[in-house]
Amino acid sequence: MRVLVIGGGGREHALCWKLRQSPLLEELYCAPGNPGIAEIADLVPRSVDEVLEIADFAASVRIDLAVVGPELPLALGIADELEMRGVPVFGPRQAAAEIEGSKVFAKEFMARHGIPTAAFEIAHDEASARAAARRFGFPVVLKADGLAAGKGVILPTDEAELEAALSLFFGERRFGSAANRIVVEEWLAGEEVSFIALADGENVLPLAPSKDYKRLRDGDLGPNTGGMGAHSPAGIMGPESASWVLERVMRPVVTALARENRAFRGFLYAGLMLTPAGLRVLEFNARLGDPEGQVLMLRLEDDLLELLAAGATGRFPASRLRFRKEAAACLVLASPGYPEQPLTGEPLGDLAAARADEGVEIFHAGTARDAEGRLVSAGGRVLDVCATGAGLSEALRRAYAAAAKVEWPAKVLRRDIGRRILAATASGDEG
Ligand code: AMP
Ligand code: GLY
């Protein structure tokens, strides 16, 4: 099979790494890819928003399966464009991707179908947003309706922060038309967990639960990021909760989307909060998580290419997926200044020593080659140092040891990935 992966980050590197292991693979392309992906795929120099050009390319080389990583091309309709050209794609059409692209749509959809989520109101202007926020009381959660690169969620804890948030949304118009409407919702306390499944429009195959660390600094402090680390198992979700999420959230959502003419084919990601009152959906994403995808690809035993090709054109061949017993962990090495103003162009040294460690894989997230061919940083999140191990503690220990061998003095990383989970569970290796 001739396969095209769309995206150029650590998630796409992990997808390419996993697809490469399939005996069905004949040719692997990635648009735009990165220097790490270049070692295992042919790069197509197109950015992810060039959806027409990418779709034309895919048709011209007779791609048998396109796999879409990030949300932007999905929201721009890349799946529709590929399908129009007869290219099978694992990734939802624009209408189905709205479950991520519009938070107002997602919340109203959840309300319509009884999916457990935080109580909310939709506000169209500053005054109604202020009034709704005061009804909920502090802390409260404000979310821009549209895509805002992970920055559109603000959690004011008092009147002053509320006013600052309202002026970002409605005064400064920081998020432009993405904040024409905002969701005002109840603040939920609890532990977050990522639940991601494959959907073929009708059937759902859950991946193992995973956990992502969104804040920049240790102790879940500092600004929200795309994710500074991940591990699977999540360590906080046993088999009973996982099957509850499957039956009460994932299957009903896929069924209801199909009924609303938005059949969902692709990775469906539920961001969940484990609250004292039970599980609540914080958000849906229409794609694999990043960096959750990296640890899930390390644990998945099945042939990913066979699965995705079946999901793109018909039905999944199996009714459940198989995962290695071993745990997997991922540490994100980020640039100084991330997420606001990452400093790029720094040499990353030779990764060979770190990569040689047992159980270690390094995926490139934001790297480039400079004029001399040296590997340099080229984004906010730069390298994903991942490791497997008998349990979470071993996977994390190996990942931290490998990260220490990356010769990039300015690297920014969290030192506490998995720490709270390991402390809370005796072994840390359940669920
Ligand atoms: P979202 O993009 O909707 O997942 O929101 C980004 C982040 O904001 C989440 O990962 C949570 O950490 C936080 N968040 C979102 N909604 C809530 C909520 N209702 N209560 C508490 N925290 C939230
Ligand atoms: N790691 C969170 C996300 O992919 O949205």
mmCIF file of all heavy atoms in Angstrom, residues 103 107 117-119 139-143 150-155 185-190 192 212 214-215 224-225 269 271-273 275 280-285 287, ligand 1:
data_model
loop_
_atom_site.group_PDB
_atom_site.id
_atom_site.type_symbol
_atom_site.label_atom_id
_atom_site.label_comp_id
_atom_site.label_asym_id
_atom_site.label_seq_id
_atom_site.Cartn_x
_atom_site.Cartn_y
_atom_site.Cartn_z
ATOM 1 N N LYS A 103 -16.636 24.470 19.657
ATOM 2 C CA LYS A 103 -16.968 24.036 21.013
ATOM 3 C C LYS A 103 -18.454 24.225 21.292
ATOM 4 O O LYS A 103 -19.041 23.487 22.088
ATOM 5 C CB LYS A 103 -16.108 24.769 22.038
ATOM 6 C CG LYS A 103 -14.642 24.283 22.006
ATOM 7 C CD LYS A 103 -13.823 24.832 23.143
ATOM 8 C CE LYS A 103 -12.342 24.511 23.011
ATOM 9 N NZ LYS A 103 -11.987 23.137 23.329
ATOM 10 N N LYS A 107 -20.706 21.166 22.606
ATOM 11 C CA LYS A 107 -21.480 21.205 23.852
ATOM 12 C C LYS A 107 -22.966 20.962 23.567
ATOM 13 O O LYS A 107 -23.619 20.203 24.289
ATOM 14 C CB LYS A 107 -21.305 22.559 24.559
ATOM 15 C CG LYS A 107 -19.919 22.841 25.100
ATOM 16 C CD LYS A 107 -19.454 21.915 26.213
ATOM 17 C CE LYS A 107 -20.131 22.153 27.541
ATOM 18 N NZ LYS A 107 -19.421 21.470 28.672
ATOM 19 N N THR A 117 -21.176 16.069 30.621
ATOM 20 C CA THR A 117 -20.208 17.149 30.431
ATOM 21 C C THR A 117 -20.511 18.256 31.428
ATOM 22 O O THR A 117 -21.557 18.229 32.084
ATOM 23 C CB THR A 117 -20.261 17.664 28.973
ATOM 24 O OG1 THR A 117 -19.201 18.582 28.745
ATOM 25 C CG2 THR A 117 -21.597 18.325 28.642
ATOM 26 N N ALA A 118 -19.605 19.222 31.556
ATOM 27 C CA ALA A 118 -19.827 20.333 32.492
ATOM 28 C C ALA A 118 -21.036 21.159 32.057
ATOM 29 O O ALA A 118 -21.259 21.363 30.858
ATOM 30 C CB ALA A 118 -18.576 21.218 32.529
ATOM 31 N N ALA A 119 -21.803 21.656 33.040
ATOM 32 C CA ALA A 119 -22.931 22.548 32.739
ATOM 33 C C ALA A 119 -22.403 23.788 32.020
ATOM 34 O O ALA A 119 -21.278 24.222 32.278
ATOM 35 C CB ALA A 119 -23.635 22.953 34.024
ATOM 36 N N PRO A 139 -13.995 29.519 40.579
ATOM 37 C CA PRO A 139 -13.483 29.720 39.224
ATOM 38 C C PRO A 139 -14.526 29.318 38.182
ATOM 39 O O PRO A 139 -15.380 28.484 38.456
ATOM 40 C CB PRO A 139 -12.268 28.793 39.166
ATOM 41 C CG PRO A 139 -12.475 27.781 40.237
ATOM 42 C CD PRO A 139 -13.313 28.409 41.291
ATOM 43 N N VAL A 140 -14.384 29.903 36.998
ATOM 44 C CA VAL A 140 -15.305 29.600 35.907
ATOM 45 C C VAL A 140 -14.461 29.367 34.662
ATOM 46 O O VAL A 140 -13.281 29.703 34.641
ATOM 47 C CB VAL A 140 -16.313 30.767 35.735
ATOM 48 C CG1 VAL A 140 -15.621 32.031 35.243
ATOM 49 C CG2 VAL A 140 -17.467 30.382 34.803
ATOM 50 N N VAL A 141 -15.048 28.777 33.633
ATOM 51 C CA VAL A 141 -14.288 28.420 32.434
ATOM 52 C C VAL A 141 -14.894 29.119 31.223
ATOM 53 O O VAL A 141 -16.101 29.026 30.991
ATOM 54 C CB VAL A 141 -14.291 26.885 32.217
ATOM 55 C CG1 VAL A 141 -13.400 26.514 31.044
ATOM 56 C CG2 VAL A 141 -13.842 26.162 33.479
ATOM 57 N N LEU A 142 -14.061 29.832 30.466
ATOM 58 C CA LEU A 142 -14.505 30.495 29.231
ATOM 59 C C LEU A 142 -13.748 29.885 28.064
ATOM 60 O O LEU A 142 -12.523 29.755 28.114
ATOM 61 C CB LEU A 142 -14.202 31.997 29.277
ATOM 62 C CG LEU A 142 -14.704 32.805 30.470
ATOM 63 C CD1 LEU A 142 -14.386 34.287 30.272
ATOM 64 C CD2 LEU A 142 -16.203 32.637 30.670
ATOM 65 N N LYS A 143 -14.492 29.512 27.011
ATOM 66 C CA LYS A 143 -13.849 28.875 25.854
ATOM 67 C C LYS A 143 -14.289 29.535 24.561
ATOM 68 O O LYS A 143 -15.481 29.641 24.289
ATOM 69 C CB LYS A 143 -14.246 27.388 25.781
ATOM 70 C CG LYS A 143 -13.860 26.585 27.008
ATOM 71 C CD LYS A 143 -14.237 25.112 26.872
ATOM 72 C CE LYS A 143 -13.712 24.339 28.088
ATOM 73 N NZ LYS A 143 -13.998 22.901 28.012
ATOM 74 N N GLY A 150 -5.063 25.887 21.050
ATOM 75 C CA GLY A 150 -4.936 25.502 22.454
ATOM 76 C C GLY A 150 -4.940 26.664 23.429
ATOM 77 O O GLY A 150 -4.769 26.477 24.627
ATOM 78 N N LYS A 151 -5.126 27.915 22.910
ATOM 79 C CA LYS A 151 -5.039 29.069 23.804
ATOM 80 C C LYS A 151 -6.398 29.675 24.105
ATOM 81 O O LYS A 151 -6.504 30.659 24.829
ATOM 82 C CB LYS A 151 -4.139 30.131 23.168
ATOM 83 C CG LYS A 151 -2.707 29.629 23.051
ATOM 84 C CD LYS A 151 -1.742 30.721 22.649
ATOM 85 C CE LYS A 151 -0.339 30.157 22.591
ATOM 86 N NZ LYS A 151 0.438 30.691 21.495
ATOM 87 N N GLY A 152 -7.445 29.107 23.550
ATOM 88 C CA GLY A 152 -8.767 29.724 23.656
ATOM 89 C C GLY A 152 -9.551 29.377 24.899
ATOM 90 O O GLY A 152 -10.722 29.719 24.995
ATOM 91 N N VAL A 153 -8.916 28.694 25.869
ATOM 92 C CA VAL A 153 -9.616 28.355 27.116
ATOM 93 C C VAL A 153 -9.009 29.153 28.256
ATOM 94 O O VAL A 153 -7.801 29.109 28.470
ATOM 95 C CB VAL A 153 -9.506 26.841 27.417
ATOM 96 C CG1 VAL A 153 -10.149 26.504 28.754
ATOM 97 C CG2 VAL A 153 -10.162 26.037 26.289
ATOM 98 N N ILE A 154 -9.845 29.920 28.959
ATOM 99 C CA ILE A 154 -9.354 30.746 30.069
ATOM 100 C C ILE A 154 -10.170 30.400 31.318
ATOM 101 O O ILE A 154 -11.381 30.184 31.232
ATOM 102 C CB ILE A 154 -9.465 32.251 29.737
ATOM 103 C CG1 ILE A 154 -8.729 32.532 28.407
ATOM 104 C CG2 ILE A 154 -8.867 33.096 30.852
ATOM 105 C CD1 ILE A 154 -8.728 33.976 27.980
ATOM 106 N N LEU A 155 -9.478 30.309 32.453
ATOM 107 C CA LEU A 155 -10.151 29.901 33.695
ATOM 108 C C LEU A 155 -10.027 31.003 34.747
ATOM 109 O O LEU A 155 -9.184 30.916 35.643
ATOM 110 C CB LEU A 155 -9.527 28.594 34.224
ATOM 111 C CG LEU A 155 -9.625 27.378 33.300
ATOM 112 C CD1 LEU A 155 -8.393 27.213 32.420
ATOM 113 C CD2 LEU A 155 -9.858 26.106 34.091
ATOM 114 N N GLU A 185 -18.623 27.829 31.116
ATOM 115 C CA GLU A 185 -19.019 26.578 31.761
ATOM 116 C C GLU A 185 -18.516 26.417 33.176
ATOM 117 O O GLU A 185 -17.592 27.098 33.629
ATOM 118 C CB GLU A 185 -18.667 25.361 30.891
ATOM 119 C CG GLU A 185 -17.208 25.025 30.812
ATOM 120 C CD GLU A 185 -16.945 23.741 29.998
ATOM 121 O OE1 GLU A 185 -17.654 23.466 29.011
ATOM 122 O OE2 GLU A 185 -16.004 23.019 30.371
ATOM 123 N N GLU A 186 -19.164 25.517 33.840
ATOM 124 C CA GLU A 186 -18.870 25.121 35.210
ATOM 125 C C GLU A 186 -17.431 24.612 35.296
ATOM 126 O O GLU A 186 -16.996 23.827 34.452
ATOM 127 C CB GLU A 186 -19.863 23.989 35.522
ATOM 128 C CG GLU A 186 -19.642 23.191 36.747
ATOM 129 C CD GLU A 186 -20.456 21.865 36.698
ATOM 130 O OE1 GLU A 186 -20.919 21.437 35.617
ATOM 131 O OE2 GLU A 186 -20.592 21.270 37.761
ATOM 132 N N TRP A 187 -16.709 25.063 36.296
ATOM 133 C CA TRP A 187 -15.340 24.579 36.533
ATOM 134 C C TRP A 187 -15.408 23.246 37.272
ATOM 135 O O TRP A 187 -16.136 23.095 38.250
ATOM 136 C CB TRP A 187 -14.572 25.602 37.369
ATOM 137 C CG TRP A 187 -13.149 25.229 37.651
ATOM 138 C CD1 TRP A 187 -12.083 25.426 36.823
ATOM 139 C CD2 TRP A 187 -12.637 24.607 38.830
ATOM 140 N NE1 TRP A 187 -10.935 24.955 37.417
ATOM 141 C CE2 TRP A 187 -11.243 24.446 38.658
ATOM 142 C CE3 TRP A 187 -13.217 24.166 40.025
ATOM 143 C CZ2 TRP A 187 -10.420 23.876 39.617
ATOM 144 C CZ3 TRP A 187 -12.400 23.591 40.985
ATOM 145 C CH2 TRP A 187 -11.020 23.447 40.781
ATOM 146 N N LEU A 188 -14.669 22.271 36.773
ATOM 147 C CA LEU A 188 -14.671 20.941 37.381
ATOM 148 C C LEU A 188 -13.309 20.655 37.991
ATOM 149 O O LEU A 188 -12.277 20.864 37.348
ATOM 150 C CB LEU A 188 -14.964 19.870 36.324
ATOM 151 C CG LEU A 188 -16.299 19.965 35.591
ATOM 152 C CD1 LEU A 188 -16.340 18.961 34.450
ATOM 153 C CD2 LEU A 188 -17.457 19.728 36.557
ATOM 154 N N ALA A 189 -13.325 20.147 39.224
ATOM 155 C CA ALA A 189 -12.066 19.739 39.858
ATOM 156 C C ALA A 189 -11.880 18.255 39.622
ATOM 157 O O ALA A 189 -12.849 17.500 39.581
ATOM 158 C CB ALA A 189 -12.128 20.032 41.354
ATOM 159 N N GLY A 190 -10.650 17.830 39.434
ATOM 160 C CA GLY A 190 -10.404 16.399 39.278
ATOM 161 C C GLY A 190 -9.141 16.138 38.505
ATOM 162 O O GLY A 190 -8.334 17.033 38.265
ATOM 163 N N GLU A 192 -7.356 14.716 35.018
ATOM 164 C CA GLU A 192 -7.679 14.580 33.596
ATOM 165 C C GLU A 192 -7.136 13.284 33.018
ATOM 166 O O GLU A 192 -6.063 12.819 33.401
ATOM 167 C CB GLU A 192 -7.089 15.751 32.803
ATOM 168 C CG GLU A 192 -7.905 17.019 32.924
ATOM 169 C CD GLU A 192 -7.358 18.131 32.052
ATOM 170 O OE1 GLU A 192 -7.429 18.010 30.812
ATOM 171 O OE2 GLU A 192 -6.843 19.113 32.606
ATOM 172 N N ASP A 212 -2.030 13.021 29.759
ATOM 173 C CA ASP A 212 -1.245 14.079 29.137
ATOM 174 C C ASP A 212 -1.029 15.160 30.192
ATOM 175 O O ASP A 212 -1.839 15.302 31.097
ATOM 176 C CB ASP A 212 -2.089 14.572 27.951
ATOM 177 C CG ASP A 212 -1.676 15.898 27.391
ATOM 178 O OD1 ASP A 212 -0.477 16.131 27.284
ATOM 179 O OD2 ASP A 212 -2.571 16.690 27.038
ATOM 180 N N LYS A 214 -0.659 19.071 30.455
ATOM 181 C CA LYS A 214 -0.835 20.236 29.584
ATOM 182 C C LYS A 214 -0.087 21.471 30.047
ATOM 183 O O LYS A 214 0.267 22.318 29.230
ATOM 184 C CB LYS A 214 -2.320 20.575 29.465
ATOM 185 C CG LYS A 214 -3.089 19.586 28.599
ATOM 186 C CD LYS A 214 -4.293 20.224 27.939
ATOM 187 C CE LYS A 214 -4.988 19.251 27.001
ATOM 188 N NZ LYS A 214 -5.580 18.111 27.706
ATOM 189 N N ARG A 215 0.131 21.580 31.370
ATOM 190 C CA ARG A 215 0.764 22.814 31.843
ATOM 191 C C ARG A 215 2.272 22.762 31.632
ATOM 192 O O ARG A 215 2.867 21.686 31.646
ATOM 193 C CB ARG A 215 0.462 23.041 33.320
ATOM 194 C CG ARG A 215 -1.002 23.190 33.632
ATOM 195 C CD ARG A 215 -1.592 24.445 32.965
ATOM 196 N NE ARG A 215 -2.888 24.729 33.558
ATOM 197 C CZ ARG A 215 -3.065 25.653 34.508
ATOM 198 N NH1 ARG A 215 -2.047 26.388 34.937
ATOM 199 N NH2 ARG A 215 -4.258 25.852 35.005
ATOM 200 N N ASN A 224 -0.940 26.821 29.717
ATOM 201 C CA ASN A 224 -1.313 25.617 28.977
ATOM 202 C C ASN A 224 -0.444 25.482 27.744
ATOM 203 O O ASN A 224 -0.101 26.469 27.102
ATOM 204 C CB ASN A 224 -2.778 25.716 28.529
ATOM 205 C CG ASN A 224 -3.697 24.935 29.439
ATOM 206 O OD1 ASN A 224 -3.374 23.819 29.867
ATOM 207 N ND2 ASN A 224 -4.831 25.510 29.741
ATOM 208 N N THR A 225 -0.092 24.256 27.413
ATOM 209 C CA THR A 225 0.713 23.978 26.226
ATOM 210 C C THR A 225 -0.019 22.921 25.409
ATOM 211 O O THR A 225 -1.085 22.456 25.800
ATOM 212 C CB THR A 225 2.096 23.409 26.612
ATOM 213 O OG1 THR A 225 1.920 22.070 27.099
ATOM 214 C CG2 THR A 225 2.765 24.257 27.688
ATOM 215 N N TYR A 269 -11.096 11.610 20.071
ATOM 216 C CA TYR A 269 -10.366 11.816 21.325
ATOM 217 C C TYR A 269 -11.298 12.520 22.300
ATOM 218 O O TYR A 269 -11.760 13.622 22.014
ATOM 219 C CB TYR A 269 -9.139 12.656 20.983
ATOM 220 C CG TYR A 269 -8.318 13.294 22.080
ATOM 221 C CD1 TYR A 269 -6.953 13.423 21.916
ATOM 222 C CD2 TYR A 269 -8.871 13.819 23.242
ATOM 223 C CE1 TYR A 269 -6.163 14.046 22.876
ATOM 224 C CE2 TYR A 269 -8.094 14.417 24.207
ATOM 225 C CZ TYR A 269 -6.747 14.543 24.017
ATOM 226 O OH TYR A 269 -5.968 15.164 24.952
ATOM 227 N N GLY A 271 -11.321 14.256 25.904
ATOM 228 C CA GLY A 271 -10.594 14.737 27.079
ATOM 229 C C GLY A 271 -11.560 14.665 28.248
ATOM 230 O O GLY A 271 -12.625 15.282 28.210
ATOM 231 N N LEU A 272 -11.219 13.879 29.263
ATOM 232 C CA LEU A 272 -12.161 13.609 30.356
ATOM 233 C C LEU A 272 -11.638 14.155 31.671
ATOM 234 O O LEU A 272 -10.424 14.200 31.894
ATOM 235 C CB LEU A 272 -12.340 12.099 30.528
ATOM 236 C CG LEU A 272 -12.869 11.314 29.341
ATOM 237 C CD1 LEU A 272 -12.663 9.825 29.567
ATOM 238 C CD2 LEU A 272 -14.351 11.616 29.135
ATOM 239 N N MET A 273 -12.568 14.532 32.531
ATOM 240 C CA MET A 273 -12.205 14.879 33.905
ATOM 241 C C MET A 273 -12.848 13.848 34.822
ATOM 242 O O MET A 273 -14.052 13.596 34.740
ATOM 243 C CB MET A 273 -12.723 16.287 34.242
ATOM 244 C CG MET A 273 -12.236 16.806 35.575
ATOM 245 S SD MET A 273 -10.495 17.291 35.526
ATOM 246 C CE MET A 273 -10.620 19.043 35.174
ATOM 247 N N THR A 275 -14.138 13.448 38.063
ATOM 248 C CA THR A 275 -14.551 14.292 39.189
ATOM 249 C C THR A 275 -15.128 13.396 40.284
ATOM 250 O O THR A 275 -15.458 12.233 40.033
ATOM 251 C CB THR A 275 -15.643 15.306 38.755
ATOM 252 O OG1 THR A 275 -16.898 14.610 38.696
ATOM 253 C CG2 THR A 275 -15.345 15.904 37.386
ATOM 254 N N ARG A 280 -16.637 13.295 33.358
ATOM 255 C CA ARG A 280 -17.263 14.322 32.528
ATOM 256 C C ARG A 280 -16.372 14.577 31.316
ATOM 257 O O ARG A 280 -15.143 14.610 31.449
ATOM 258 C CB ARG A 280 -17.391 15.639 33.292
ATOM 259 C CG ARG A 280 -18.242 15.566 34.561
ATOM 260 C CD ARG A 280 -19.734 15.560 34.228
ATOM 261 N NE ARG A 280 -20.558 15.544 35.427
ATOM 262 C CZ ARG A 280 -20.882 14.442 36.102
ATOM 263 N NH1 ARG A 280 -20.438 13.261 35.720
ATOM 264 N NH2 ARG A 280 -21.652 14.515 37.167
ATOM 265 N N VAL A 281 -16.985 14.802 30.157
ATOM 266 C CA VAL A 281 -16.214 15.145 28.960
ATOM 267 C C VAL A 281 -15.881 16.632 28.987
ATOM 268 O O VAL A 281 -16.776 17.474 29.103
ATOM 269 C CB VAL A 281 -17.008 14.823 27.674
ATOM 270 C CG1 VAL A 281 -16.222 15.260 26.448
ATOM 271 C CG2 VAL A 281 -17.344 13.338 27.610
ATOM 272 N N LEU A 282 -14.588 16.969 28.887
ATOM 273 C CA LEU A 282 -14.181 18.378 28.785
ATOM 274 C C LEU A 282 -14.226 18.828 27.338
ATOM 275 O O LEU A 282 -14.588 19.957 27.039
ATOM 276 C CB LEU A 282 -12.762 18.567 29.309
ATOM 277 C CG LEU A 282 -12.525 18.379 30.797
ATOM 278 C CD1 LEU A 282 -11.066 18.662 31.116
ATOM 279 C CD2 LEU A 282 -13.435 19.284 31.609
ATOM 280 N N GLU A 283 -13.800 17.963 26.444
ATOM 281 C CA GLU A 283 -13.755 18.337 25.029
ATOM 282 C C GLU A 283 -13.590 17.085 24.185
ATOM 283 O O GLU A 283 -13.167 16.038 24.680
ATOM 284 C CB GLU A 283 -12.565 19.261 24.750
ATOM 285 C CG GLU A 283 -11.235 18.552 25.006
ATOM 286 C CD GLU A 283 -10.032 19.205 24.330
ATOM 287 O OE1 GLU A 283 -10.224 20.065 23.457
ATOM 288 O OE2 GLU A 283 -8.905 18.814 24.658
ATOM 289 N N PHE A 284 -13.920 17.233 22.914
ATOM 290 C CA PHE A 284 -13.583 16.206 21.923
ATOM 291 C C PHE A 284 -12.568 16.771 20.953
ATOM 292 O O PHE A 284 -12.627 17.948 20.599
ATOM 293 C CB PHE A 284 -14.826 15.781 21.129
ATOM 294 C CG PHE A 284 -15.774 14.922 21.910
ATOM 295 C CD1 PHE A 284 -16.993 15.418 22.335
ATOM 296 C CD2 PHE A 284 -15.435 13.612 22.227
ATOM 297 C CE1 PHE A 284 -17.867 14.624 23.070
ATOM 298 C CE2 PHE A 284 -16.303 12.810 22.958
ATOM 299 C CZ PHE A 284 -17.524 13.318 23.379
ATOM 300 N N ASN A 285 -11.654 15.908 20.516
ATOM 301 C CA ASN A 285 -10.785 16.253 19.401
ATOM 302 C C ASN A 285 -11.038 15.240 18.298
ATOM 303 O O ASN A 285 -11.348 14.077 18.572
ATOM 304 C CB ASN A 285 -9.311 16.215 19.823
ATOM 305 C CG ASN A 285 -8.994 17.306 20.852
ATOM 306 O OD1 ASN A 285 -9.463 18.433 20.734
ATOM 307 N ND2 ASN A 285 -8.239 16.956 21.860
ATOM 308 N N ARG A 287 -8.989 13.887 16.253
ATOM 309 C CA ARG A 287 -7.652 13.435 15.838
ATOM 310 C C ARG A 287 -6.994 12.703 17.004
ATOM 311 O O ARG A 287 -7.490 12.746 18.133
ATOM 312 C CB ARG A 287 -6.816 14.664 15.481
ATOM 313 C CG ARG A 287 -6.855 15.656 16.648
ATOM 314 C CD ARG A 287 -6.021 16.873 16.471
ATOM 315 N NE ARG A 287 -6.278 17.780 17.585
ATOM 316 C CZ ARG A 287 -5.736 17.667 18.790
ATOM 317 N NH1 ARG A 287 -4.864 16.714 19.031
ATOM 318 N NH2 ARG A 287 -6.049 18.504 19.754
HETATM 319 P P1 AMP B 1 -10.215 22.063 26.421
HETATM 320 O O1 AMP B 1 -9.511 22.622 25.225
HETATM 321 O O2 AMP B 1 -11.684 22.279 26.391
HETATM 322 O O3 AMP B 1 -9.825 20.656 26.745
HETATM 323 O O4 AMP B 1 -9.623 22.882 27.659
HETATM 324 C C1 AMP B 1 -8.237 22.994 27.861
HETATM 325 C C2 AMP B 1 -7.902 22.684 29.294
HETATM 326 O O5 AMP B 1 -8.624 23.540 30.168
HETATM 327 C C3 AMP B 1 -8.300 21.267 29.728
HETATM 328 O O6 AMP B 1 -7.332 20.333 29.390
HETATM 329 C C4 AMP B 1 -8.458 21.451 31.214
HETATM 330 O O7 AMP B 1 -7.200 21.413 31.858
HETATM 331 C C5 AMP B 1 -9.024 22.842 31.338
HETATM 332 N N1 AMP B 1 -10.499 22.798 31.404
HETATM 333 C C6 AMP B 1 -11.353 22.803 30.354
HETATM 334 N N2 AMP B 1 -12.631 22.750 30.769
HETATM 335 C C7 AMP B 1 -12.588 22.712 32.119
HETATM 336 C C8 AMP B 1 -13.595 22.641 33.134
HETATM 337 N N3 AMP B 1 -14.901 22.638 32.846
HETATM 338 N N4 AMP B 1 -13.182 22.605 34.415
HETATM 339 C C9 AMP B 1 -11.861 22.629 34.731
HETATM 340 N N5 AMP B 1 -10.874 22.695 33.824
HETATM 341 C C10 AMP B 1 -11.226 22.736 32.526
#
